[in-house]
Amino acid sequence: MRKRVSMKDIAKELQVSTALVSYVLTGRENEKRVSIEMAEKIRKVAKDLNYKPSQLARSLRGGATMTIGLLLADIANPFFASLARIIEDEAAKRGYVVLIGSSDESAEKSASLLDTFIDRQVDGFIIVPTEGSKEQIESLMEKNNAIVLLDRYFPDLNTSHVCLNNYNAIAEATTHLIQKGHNKIVMFVYQSSQIPMQERVRGYVETMKGLNLERNIKVVEVPYSFTKLEKERLIKMTLQNDINIDAVIFANNSLTIIGLYAIYQLGLKVPEEIAIIGFDGSEVFDFFYAPLTYVEQPLVEIGIKSVETLIGIIEGATEIKQFELAHTFHIRNSS
Amino acid sequence: MRKRVSMKDIAKELQVSTALVSYVLTGRENEKRVSIEMAEKIRKVAKDLNYKPSQLARSLRGGATMTIGLLLADIANPFFASLARIIEDEAAKRGYVVLIGSSDESAEKSASLLDTFIDRQVDGFIIVPTEGSKEQIESLMEKNNAIVLLDRYFPDLNTSHVCLNNYNAIAEATTHLIQKGHNKIVMFVYQSSQIPMQERVRGYVETMKGLNLERNIKVVEVPYSFTKLEKERLIKMTLQNDINIDAVIFANNSLTIIGLYAIYQLGLKVPEEIAIIGFDGSEVFDFFYAPLTYVEQPLVEIGIKSVETLIGIIEGATEIKQFELAHTFHIRNSS
DNA sequence: TAGAGGTGCTTAAACGTTTAAGCATACTTT
DNA sequence: AAAGTATGCTTAAACGTTTAAGCACCTCTA
């Protein structure tokens, strides 16, 4: 790599100090009373030499790296990939660059990725917290880092967050199924103490209770650590063992897709033998033999709000903002 | 944010020079003849103060940022998302961090993202080049940057690259269809002068010629700029207007998925009325009413090879490495 | 006993910015 | 004519590392 062109080179060329060059190239020539002629000369030489400021030096000196650390569960998961895309675009608009990491829902990986982000001195964090990462978040908070939690949060941690109103989403789905005449509804969720799952369960449970279907409540907890095949088997067994089940709600995207494999293999008629409600949307939902009714999250809004909020904090905002955004419910053939 | 702990703090604490601290903490205490006792003390204080080196300062001084710029077409596309995941993991293993950008196949966005990468002084680039970005790559090459092209390349540019052996992949697919008794095979590709598309077309055309089916050759070029709906419409019209068509090959992932929507809407029986071969795999392929026969790319191998090659170049390798990796052909119900 | 060599440390510059402080010089004002 | 102020620039330190060069001091060898 050829030697970088630095302010020093421009300064030398014009026999002036680097201070002057800095003033002009950061657009503070008026404030710093640089003569118009000199400003022009500096800009010209900068252009001629194809000068590019070193973000590195700027960051070292100024403290800000204009970098955001984004910790997701898995970037290969379409839900997070889309979110990442939106966040990157939004961040780029504001001059920020995004470092992405995938925790795979492991607290260990989460810790190690957060450490990397710290080493890189990111200005702020957007985090989809995994189970068991509460202490990590707390430790970041103690050090006064800018943080926005995404998709999930810890109720006893006073952080900004952006997520879905999970209760409402599932409550509407449950109500819809009941109105359609289903009442033996089973819900598949990930075994998780995290708020979103809890809220989704609550949305289901309370709605069932409210319509006097308490005795029909059935929540199946699928361990996240299961392989795809094990999850599929658990779903199949559940549906086979209780033939009264006439509807299922899958509490998230990957469970929905795995669930579809299970139902497909069981050869169940949808929605006659079983109605299905999925989560987050996917092309798969369109191609399943009964196009799926599903809950859609407002991805764009979630992405933009999280970046906005984070940059707000980075720039000094102290107010804690907690967004619970509204879902969209798409009714199609599976219910 | 609390003030950072720097080497200076450690040095002050022990009344020594920062040089000594640096020698110890970068593990060169022997080489630099630091006494064992002193080394121990320094390590202890570093730990007590929870010292974290500043990558920023290190980079500024040393030149290397331990950062890779990864330019994709679109991170929200599952193919690229999976690739990104593999590349990140592989890079992380070697101490590198990855900056990701999505060009949307636009040369302008590509230029602007590459500029961002340059500003951030990435040590190397992994690039899925878009049409019209040849000059950008050339300009990077002139400045002696470490570059690996991914998925595509420019034949007259002497860069390292990692991609699929596209010719073989489509040749096998074509042969398979013909063996199954299809001979009016149409291929849908993106309008693109890029090598991979050209090679895929060549794989189809030469195979057809080789089996005396020259007059049946039909390649439909879909403009990338079309909306999803326009693409779908073009595919539908093609299949409706020529009722002799008995098989289709979709030359990439997104065309396959859009094509499936089209075929689904036309209500064609698969493979009786039309056989289908898809590209890259997707859960959708499993749920289509005839699970799809498709060409799979060796994602993991592609990802790892590209990182390996790039880091090789960063570390001084001058040899140009060009990989054309082998596909896997999955035969299922659609053909 | 002088020189060679080893040991354990320090000094100071360098990477490329930003920025507070200061210094001439010229022009106004009273 | 002295004081004030505006103009246009420079100086030098700072951010947190790395590293070449050098300085004492000690021990060995011939």
Side-chain angles (χ1 to χ4, degrees):
Chain A
M1 240 153 310
R2 212 183 292 159
K3 208 189 140 291
R4 273 192 85 80
V5 179
S6 75
M7 289 194 166
K8 231 182 250 172
D9 300 317
I10 301 177
K12 202 179 293 168
E13 179 83 18
L14 290 169
Q15 311 268 37
V16 297
S17 68
T18 62
L20 212 55
V21 178
S22 172
Y23 293 147
V24 172
L25 297 183
T26 51
R28 289 168 309 152
E29 39 184 292
N30 294 326
E31 181 192 341
K32 294 295 179 177
R33 304 173 321 209
V34 181
S35 69
I36 302 174
E37 308 87 52
M38 184 52 84
E40 286 306 326
K41 274 197 245 172
I42 289 175
R43 261 191 294 269
K44 177 160 191 330
V45 174
K47 193 160 196 181
D48 290 350
L49 297 182
N50 190 26
Y51 167 76
K52 305 252 176 193
S54 159
Q55 256 299 330
L56 230 48
R58 206 173 255 175
S59 299
L60 180 59
R61 165 65 216 228
T65 55
M66 301 302 282
T67 304
I68 292 173
L70 173 60
L71 182 57
L72 305 167
D74 181 9
I75 185 79
N77 172 324
F79 172 73
F80 291 116
S82 304
L83 213 44
R85 176 64 204 270
I86 295 160
I87 288 175
E88 280 211 6
D89 287 354
E90 189 64 21
K93 271 188 211 156
R94 297 152 176 272
Y96 283 80
V97 132
V98 180
L99 288 180
I100 302 181
S102 301
S103 70
D104 283 328
E105 304 288 359
S106 138
E108 259 179 70
K109 282 195 194 172
S110 164
S112 126
L113 287 164
L114 290 178
D115 270 349
T116 305
F117 290 166
I118 294 170
D119 286 353
R120 300 293 176 143
Q121 276 155 86
V122 300
D123 296 335
F125 299 79
I126 298 181
I127 303 176
V128 176
T130 69
E131 202 136 5
S133 69
K134 196 173 125 188
E135 292 72 24
Q136 299 167 22
I137 312 284
E138 271 182 300
S139 139
L140 286 180
M141 289 171 66
E142 273 167 25
K143 285 164 199 147
N144 241 313
N145 285 290
I147 305 178
V148 171
L149 299 188
L150 194 63
D151 189 48
R152 317 166 187 171
Y153 62 94
F154 300 101
D156 49 342
L157 239 46
N158 195 27
T159 54
S160 288
H161 70 242
V162 182
C163 62
L164 185 70
N165 186 321
N166 290 288
Y167 178 89
N168 284 356
I170 293 296
E172 178 172 359
T174 310
T175 305
H176 163 80
L177 284 174
I178 296 169
Q179 279 173 352
K180 281 275 186 170
H182 306 276
N183 56 52
K184 183 62 181 159
I185 305 168
V186 59
M187 180 173 194
F188 289 95
V189 303
Y190 274 131
Q191 213 169 59
S192 158
S193 63
Q194 303 235 62
I195 291 296
M197 280 299 160
Q198 297 298 327
E199 282 293 289
R200 291 176 198 179
V201 170
R202 199 170 66 84
Y204 162 73
V205 169
E206 308 245 312
T207 306
M208 292 290 276
K209 279 189 187 160
L211 295 168
N212 289 319
L213 291 167
E214 285 181 71
R215 40 180 58 219
N216 284 359
I217 290 174
K218 177 160 188 170
V219 175
V220 178
E221 296 198 333
V222 181
Y224 186 84
S225 59
F226 267 25
T227 64
K228 236 176 178 171
L229 223 69
E230 288 169 327
K231 292 173 189 169
E232 193 180 308
R233 204 171 298 149
L234 174 56
I235 295 172
K236 273 203 269 190
M237 287 192 14
T238 308
L239 298 180
Q240 281 176 313
N241 291 347
D242 186 347
I243 49 169
N244 288 323
I245 294 171
D246 60 7
V248 291
I249 298 176
F250 293 109
N252 77 2
N253 193 250
S254 68
L255 280 177
T256 310
I257 291 172
I258 295 169
L260 291 184
Y261 280 95
I263 289 170
Y264 174 73
Q265 284 172 43
L266 292 175
L268 298 174
K269 281 200 182 134
V270 179
E272 295 80 5
E273 294 175 349
I274 195 164
I276 309 176
I277 291 188
F279 218 93
D280 280 350
S282 152
E283 276 144 351
V284 171
F285 293 8
D286 298 341
F287 281 104
F288 192 69
Y289 50 87
L292 239 58
T293 293
Y294 68 98
V295 170
E296 185 195 1
Q297 298 202 43
L299 279 188
V300 174
E301 207 183 341
I302 292 178
I304 292 183
K305 276 266 178 293
S306 59
V307 173
E308 265 179 15
T309 307
L310 183 69
I311 294 182
I313 299 174
I314 291 173
E315 289 175 349
T318 55
E319 189 193 354
I320 301 286
K321 291 192 182 169
Q322 308 190 324
F323 297 94
E324 317 237 319
L325 304 175
H327 69 287
T328 311
F329 192 52
H330 296 272
I331 301 177
R332 305 201 296 177
N333 305 10
S334 75
S335 67
Chain B
M1 244 156 302
R2 211 182 295 158
K3 206 188 142 295
R4 274 191 85 79
V5 180
S6 75
M7 288 196 167
K8 231 183 251 172
D9 300 317
I10 301 177
K12 202 179 292 168
E13 180 82 18
L14 290 170
Q15 312 267 38
V16 296
S17 69
T18 61
L20 213 55
V21 178
S22 173
Y23 292 147
V24 172
L25 297 183
T26 50
R28 289 170 309 153
E29 39 184 292
N30 294 325
E31 180 192 342
K32 296 294 177 177
R33 305 173 323 210
V34 182
S35 70
I36 302 174
E37 307 87 53
M38 184 51 86
E40 285 306 325
K41 275 199 244 172
I42 288 175
R43 263 191 293 270
K44 177 159 190 329
V45 173
K47 192 159 196 179
D48 289 352
L49 296 183
N50 189 27
Y51 167 77
K52 305 251 177 195
S54 159
Q55 256 299 331
L56 230 48
R58 208 173 254 178
S59 301
L60 182 58
R61 166 65 217 227
T65 54
M66 300 303 282
T67 305
I68 292 172
L70 173 60
L71 182 57
L72 305 168
D74 182 9
I75 184 79
N77 173 326
F79 172 72
F80 291 116
S82 303
L83 214 43
R85 177 64 204 271
I86 295 160
I87 289 175
E88 281 212 4
D89 287 354
E90 189 62 22
K93 271 187 211 157
R94 298 150 175 273
Y96 283 79
V97 132
V98 180
L99 287 179
I100 302 180
S102 301
S103 70
D104 284 328
E105 305 287 359
S106 138
E108 260 178 71
K109 282 195 195 173
S110 164
S112 125
L113 287 165
L114 291 179
D115 270 350
T116 305
F117 290 165
I118 294 170
D119 287 353
R120 300 294 176 144
Q121 277 156 84
V122 299
D123 296 335
F125 299 79
I126 298 181
I127 303 176
V128 176
T130 69
E131 202 135 8
S133 68
K134 195 174 126 186
E135 291 72 23
Q136 300 166 23
I137 312 284
E138 272 182 301
S139 139
L140 286 180
M141 288 170 68
E142 273 167 25
K143 284 163 199 148
N144 241 313
N145 285 290
I147 304 177
V148 171
L149 299 188
L150 194 63
D151 188 47
R152 314 167 189 172
Y153 62 94
F154 300 101
D156 50 340
L157 239 47
N158 195 26
T159 54
S160 287
H161 70 241
V162 182
C163 63
L164 184 70
N165 186 319
N166 290 288
Y167 178 89
N168 283 356
I170 292 296
E172 178 171 358
T174 310
T175 307
H176 163 80
L177 284 175
I178 296 169
Q179 280 173 351
K180 281 276 184 171
H182 306 277
N183 56 51
K184 184 63 183 161
I185 305 168
V186 60
M187 181 173 194
F188 288 95
V189 304
Y190 273 132
Q191 211 169 61
S192 158
S193 62
Q194 303 236 59
I195 291 296
M197 280 300 161
Q198 297 299 327
E199 281 293 290
R200 290 176 198 178
V201 170
R202 199 169 66 84
Y204 161 73
V205 169
E206 308 246 313
T207 307
M208 292 291 276
K209 279 188 189 163
L211 294 167
N212 289 318
L213 291 166
E214 287 180 70
R215 41 180 57 220
N216 284 358
I217 290 174
K218 177 160 188 171
V219 176
V220 178
E221 295 199 333
V222 182
Y224 186 83
S225 59
F226 267 26
T227 64
K228 236 176 178 170
L229 222 70
E230 289 169 327
K231 293 173 188 167
E232 193 180 309
R233 205 171 298 151
L234 174 55
I235 295 172
K236 271 202 271 190
M237 289 197 9
T238 308
L239 297 181
Q240 280 177 313
N241 291 347
D242 186 347
I243 50 168
N244 289 323
I245 295 171
D246 60 6
V248 291
I249 298 175
F250 293 109
N252 77 1
N253 193 249
S254 69
L255 280 177
T256 310
I257 291 172
I258 294 169
L260 291 185
Y261 280 95
I263 290 170
Y264 174 73
Q265 284 173 44
L266 292 175
L268 299 174
K269 281 199 183 137
V270 178
E272 295 81 4
E273 294 176 349
I274 196 163
I276 309 176
I277 292 189
F279 218 93
D280 279 351
S282 153
E283 277 143 352
V284 171
F285 293 8
D286 299 340
F287 281 106
F288 191 69
Y289 51 88
L292 238 57
T293 294
Y294 68 98
V295 170
E296 185 195 1
Q297 299 201 43
L299 279 188
V300 174
E301 208 184 340
I302 291 178
I304 293 183
K305 276 267 177 292
S306 60
V307 173
E308 266 178 15
T309 307
L310 184 69
I311 294 183
I313 299 174
I314 292 173
E315 289 174 350
T318 55
E319 190 194 355
I320 300 287
K321 292 192 184 169
Q322 308 191 324
F323 298 94
E324 315 236 318
L325 304 174
H327 69 287
T328 311
F329 192 52
H330 295 272
I331 300 177
R332 304 200 298 178
N333 306 9
S334 75
S335 66

